[in-house]
Amino acid sequence: MSPITSHSRFTPSRRALLLGGAGFGALTLAGCGGFVNDDGGGSGEESGSGSGGGTVTAYLSTEQNTGIEPLVEPFTADTGIELDIASVAVPDMNQQLPVQLSSGTAADLFRVSPGYSSNVAAGVLGSSGDLLDLSDAAWTGDIDDGTRALSDVDGKTYAFPVARNSLVLAYNLAVFAELGLEPPTTWPELLEVSQALTDSGRTAISHGLSGGAIYLQFYVYIFAGTLLYGPNPDLDAQMRAGETSFSDEPGWTEVFTKYLELRDKGFFTEGALGVPPDQAMQDLATGAAGMTVLTNSGLPALFEYSESGAEAFSIVAMPSSDDAGATLLPTAPDFLAVNAAAKNPDGARALLDFLAGPGNVETYANTLAVLPGLDVGAVVDNPSLEPVLPLVDEGRTVPYANYLWPNGDVQQTMLQSGQQLYADEITIPDLLAQMDAEYAKGTP
Amino acid sequence: MTSAVTTATPPRPTQPAPSGSRRSLTPAGVPYALLLPAFVLYALVVLYPTLSGALYAFTDWSGRADGTTFIGLENFAEILSDVAARSALRNSLIIAVTVTAVQTLVGLGLALVLHSSLVTRNVLRTLFFAPAMLPPVIIAFLWTFILTPQGPLNTVLRAVGLDFLAQNWLGESSLALWTVIGVVIWQNAGLTMVIYLAGLQGIPAELNESSELDGATWWQRTRLITVPLLIPATTVAMSLTLISSLKLFDQVFAMTGGGPGYSTETLSVIMYKEAFVSGRFGYSAAIALVLTMIVFAFAMVQLGALRRFEVDR
């Protein structure tokens, strides 16, 4: 066999090569198309576009994934519908969801923020037609009024409150016992307790603002809840109508003044702007600090820092005024919503109906140490939440202040410029003016 | 003459005609056909997204498919008037200039010291280069822990009586940017060192030996032989450092998130925030385009300037 003959056997013709190249290109394109389309959970037939059977794709926060985990098998057993769940941290989800919605790859069911607090909030996505109208679901009758304001747009319900978080003041029981301290119920008591902790050589309130200063906002929502929204529940409507603003409403100045008072008295962690939030929690766990502010969904993480676990800590609603009876507990619904372009909308709605069952509301809440999302008489069986449950039962709750701000940039400005305020680089009027400027841009 | 030679050359015997299958290989289209799959992949993964990104810089795209409109140069006008963007540009330039200058000097110094008969030179080279092998985010998290107010660095400083040097490294606006710069240099100086070591090893030994015989001192040999012959290595080291530091993101985002306040925000950081926090993808694309042009301009100017100093060996 000559070399030429051998060569010719393995060399494709020009036409074959061109066809092969074109074919590869087509395959590549097809592969990309398939990748994009399949991410949504398979074909309509595979995912069972009708009720009963098929697959529901869900894109949840890591906390939601933990809460829903014990309910997955019962749901599938009950309905025959499989759940295909992906979960990420909330900030990552908030960044990815707009792109997924834009490219048609979003899951059937996903987490949305309350109100208008981010570009993937129920109000924003509900207004833009990205969410399925859930108004006819039976569970909408179990949503409380405060939550409804954050899930509805023009009288239509677009989000399901799977749970509620609250902002609490956690304290180290051993440290309080050692110093003979009682948890504070009023602002003067908070200052007294903080002073006693400081005098003992400890940090009174551990506070970490490094990274994104997300813990700064908790103080704002706590103080604003009791001092502003308690006396004036219509404040958001007034601000939207342009009747008042951050700068014009004296209460906002009082909110930031109280925050800075804690700093000026030396109650916060030294050099808080350079302290990561997790270190602040560790300080509380080790007894280097006496108190800290966090969401109750952050309690399990705090408990892990202590060998005694949950028994090392207790919580209380953080006081903001001289009147203990006026203290309100800032609470935040954690929402799920159904994609308007869901491949299995009936399956997604079936999951929400399932989660709305009283027993399942209870299971979810107790798994995560959070408050029930719906008023269905669920019993909270979590000792760590007991101190704040009376406030919940009495209806002394208030939404986080930022939820009805028209866009997420108001909060972002508060966090970044708030660091400058903490460092005394700007004044409270400067900060409020910047927040007003972002507020004036309205909802995108 | 040439003509004569050519004329004298006997004609080459006629080659037998190639077989039919051999002929099918020769057409000019075949190489292009072979390139096609790679080009299609490259076009899909690189060209299309890049060009799309450039086009989006002239729109108000919010990351959503609907409602995107062409707004001309509005995004670029906003960059010019945006205080945060100007501050980020200033920070990016400070980082680029400082990191490029200091890292080059440190890398050169390390290379000169370790290009010697030192017994531990190989161990030291490995130690200095090791940080460059680690992911920047891991380095950033480690240093964030080390640099907290009550962290290991301040604890050591206080323990040895240097309390006055203990600082809130990442919590002071005036200090945080320089701290990040220090960490970046610490991580990447080893990479510059390796580039210079390669350059040093390429310098002919006889040049140094003959000049030494002629009575040249170490400093004279370094200044007049080593440094000029290291200009090509300097070009590579400085270009790579300048480009990477102009688009610095990982360490800044992981260590400070751009804070305290806005004090460490770079163009890359605000590009990210505008797109993924504020949902202003069009504006973010405009920042990316500006950053690309800045990187390109700086790289070209630097390359041109350094090439002028390069000498033939």
Side-chain angles (χ1 to χ4, degrees):
Chain A
M1 186 180 290
S2 72
I4 289 176
T5 309
S6 172
H7 196 164
S8 66
R9 178 179 292 178
F10 294 101
T11 305
S13 69
R14 177 186 179 190
R15 185 178 174 189
L17 281 170
L18 288 170
L19 284 172
F24 181 84
L27 279 173
T28 308
L29 284 167
C32 287
F35 173 77
V36 169
N37 291 330
D38 286 344
D39 200 29
S43 68
E45 287 177 359
E46 285 171 344
S47 55
S49 54
S51 59
T55 299
V56 170
T57 54
Y59 193 48
L60 309 178
S61 69
T62 45
E63 291 82 5
Q64 287 175 335
N65 190 31
T66 305
I68 209 171
E69 205 170 352
L71 299 169
V72 171
E73 280 188 21
F75 171 69
T76 300
D78 193 42
T79 62
I81 300 172
E82 297 285 338
L83 286 182
D84 179 5
I85 299 175
S87 65
V88 292
V90 170
D92 297 330
M93 171 173 284
N94 289 355
Q95 293 157 16
Q96 293 163 12
L97 192 55
V99 182
Q100 292 175 347
L101 286 168
S102 178
S103 58
T105 60
D108 296 332
L109 187 84
F110 44 75
R111 180 195 183 275
V112 293
S113 314
Y116 296 83
S117 55
S118 76
N119 56 345
V120 290
V124 175
L125 296 181
S127 303
S128 60
D130 288 298
L131 303 180
L132 202 66
D133 179 6
L134 304 170
S135 304
D136 59 347
W139 46 260
T140 55
D142 300 323
I143 300 177
D144 68 57
D145 290 341
T147 303
R148 190 179 299 284
L150 307 171
S151 65
D152 287 15
V153 177
D154 297 332
K156 294 179 179 175
T157 302
Y158 287 101
F160 170 82
V162 69
R164 283 180 297 166
N165 279 311
S166 56
L167 291 173
V168 296
L169 181 70
Y171 58 96
N172 185 309
L173 285 168
V175 171
F176 269 55
E178 178 190 329
L179 300 177
L181 299 173
E182 289 294 324
T185 58
T186 63
W187 180 253
E189 285 179 18
L190 177 71
L191 298 181
E192 281 175 31
V193 168
S194 297
Q195 191 58 56
L197 287 163
T198 305
D199 293 343
S200 73
R202 294 179 173 86
T203 298
I205 305 172
S206 59
H207 193 29
L209 291 173
S210 177
I214 58 168
Y215 279 71
L216 182 152
Q217 66 186 320
F218 295 166
Y219 292 86
V220 176
Y221 304 154
I222 286 170
F223 296 150
T226 297
L227 301 174
L228 277 166
Y229 288 88
N232 182 10
D234 297 328
L235 180 62
D236 279 313
Q238 292 166 1
M239 288 180 71
R240 278 187 176 260
E243 295 167 12
T244 186
S245 65
F246 290 111
S247 300
D248 292 340
E249 170 57 52
W252 284 112
T253 301
E254 187 183 1
V255 164
F256 287 99
T257 302
K258 278 193 181 294
Y259 176 64
L260 293 186
E261 184 179 349
L262 295 175
R263 178 204 62 177
D264 293 340
K265 290 183 183 295
F267 294 156
F268 284 142
T269 304
E270 186 184 354
L273 286 168
V275 176
D278 58 340
Q279 189 186 317
M281 284 217 278
Q282 287 180 47
D283 286 350
L284 179 65
T286 59
M291 303 180 283
T292 199
V293 166
L294 74 172
T295 63
N296 56 267
S297 63
L299 288 171
L302 173 65
F303 298 160
E304 285 184 11
Y305 286 120
S306 171
E307 287 181 6
S308 305
E311 293 175 7
F313 310 95
S314 187
I315 60 171
V316 65
M318 183 163 177
S320 309
S321 70
D322 296 353
D323 179 7
T327 298
L328 298 179
L329 186 72
T331 59
D334 193 16
F335 282 139
L336 290 173
V338 178
N339 187 351
K343 294 185 172 54
N344 190 356
D346 294 337
R349 293 181 62 127
L351 175 61
L352 297 185
D353 292 341
F354 180 81
L355 293 175
N360 297 332
V361 170
E362 207 166 283
T363 300
Y364 185 99
N366 290 327
T367 302
L368 278 183
V370 292
L371 302 168
L374 293 170
D375 288 338
V376 290
V379 178
V380 177
D381 182 22
N382 194 315
S384 59
L385 287 181
E386 278 176 12
V388 297
L389 288 180
L391 275 76
V392 178
D393 294 339
E394 293 166 20
R396 286 168 56 190
T397 61
V398 61
Y400 291 9
N402 69 313
Y403 285 162
L404 290 176
W405 294 347
N407 59 65
D409 284 346
V410 184
Q411 179 204 37
Q412 186 62 26
T413 299
M414 179 183 74
L415 296 180
Q416 280 198 265
S417 298
Q419 286 182 311
Q420 293 183 303
L421 177 73
Y422 195 91
D424 269 340
E425 292 170 2
I426 61 171
T427 63
I428 292 173
D430 292 337
L431 174 64
L432 297 178
Q434 290 180 26
M435 291 170 67
D436 277 329
E438 294 300 331
Y439 194 100
K441 291 177 182 173
T443 301
Chain B
M1 186 69 171
T2 306
S3 170
V5 170
T6 306
T7 309
T9 306
R12 300 179 70 181
T14 307
Q15 296 294 316
S19 67
S21 58
R22 174 82 181 209
R23 256 200 313 274
S24 70
L25 278 178
T26 53
V30 172
Y32 294 109
L34 290 168
L35 282 173
L36 188 63
F39 178 75
V40 168
L41 203 60
Y42 181 75
L44 280 173
V45 176
V46 178
L47 291 182
Y48 174 68
T50 305
L51 292 174
S52 298
L55 288 177
Y56 279 124
F58 301 91
T59 71
D60 64 352
W61 187 40
S62 63
R64 312 297 312 282
D66 51 345
T68 301
T69 51
F70 179 78
I71 57 171
L73 297 173
E74 274 184 36
N75 285 331
F76 298 94
E78 186 177 341
I79 290 173
L80 292 176
S81 62
D82 186 350
V83 177
R86 288 208 305 270
S87 166
L89 174 62
R90 185 182 61 92
N91 288 342
S92 290
L93 293 178
I94 289 173
I95 290 170
V97 171
T98 310
V99 170
T100 304
V102 177
Q103 188 174 306
T104 303
L105 287 174
V106 172
L108 176 61
L110 289 172
L112 288 172
V113 171
L114 296 180
H115 184 64
S116 64
S117 54
L118 207 63
V119 177
T120 55
R121 65 182 183 280
N122 287 331
V123 174
L124 290 173
R125 285 174 186 177
T126 306
L127 284 176
F128 284 121
F129 183 62
M133 300 292 288
L134 294 171
V137 173
I138 301 295
I139 295 287
F141 283 139
L142 285 173
W143 275 103
T144 302
F145 167 71
I146 292 168
L147 294 167
T148 52
Q150 305 301 325
L153 179 61
N154 282 348
T155 303
V156 169
L157 289 172
R158 291 186 186 109
V160 297
L162 297 173
D163 303 52
F164 65 98
L165 285 180
Q167 303 288 334
N168 192 356
W169 302 100
L170 295 171
E172 290 281 349
S173 299
S174 57
L175 198 60
L177 186 67
W178 299 105
T179 305
V180 173
I181 286 173
V183 171
V184 172
I185 292 171
W186 176 86
Q187 179 175 16
N188 296 321
L191 186 64
T192 307
M193 175 196 74
V194 168
I195 293 171
Y196 274 120
L197 278 172
L200 284 168
Q201 286 164 5
I203 297 174
E206 57 267 27
L207 286 177
N208 273 312
E209 288 167 5
S210 59
S211 60
E212 200 171 357
L213 286 173
D214 290 341
T217 62
W218 177 87
W219 173 243
Q220 286 172 321
R221 291 200 307 277
T222 300
R223 188 168 59 86
L224 299 172
I225 297 174
T226 307
V227 170
L229 290 176
L230 278 180
I231 293 294
T234 305
T235 305
V236 173
M238 290 188 76
S239 298
L240 290 177
T241 308
L242 181 78
I243 291 169
S244 64
S245 53
L246 267 174
K247 57 190 180 69
L248 188 69
F249 176 81
D250 314 45
Q251 288 96 333
V252 175
F253 197 75
M255 292 177 77
T256 66
Y262 307 83
S263 61
T264 58
E265 282 192 333
T266 61
L267 283 176
S268 298
V269 169
I270 64 165
M271 187 173 80
Y272 166 84
K273 286 183 176 176
E274 289 292 346
F276 294 107
V277 177
S278 300
R280 301 183 67 208
F281 284 79
Y283 185 58
S284 175
I287 295 171
L289 198 57
V290 169
L291 178 61
T292 304
M293 290 160 66
I294 290 173
V295 169
F296 182 76
F298 270 70
M300 287 299 107
V301 168
Q302 188 191 46
L303 210 60
L306 286 169
R307 286 236 166 112
R308 244 183 266 166
F309 293 102
E310 288 184 9
V311 293
D312 293 328
R313 293 182 184 178

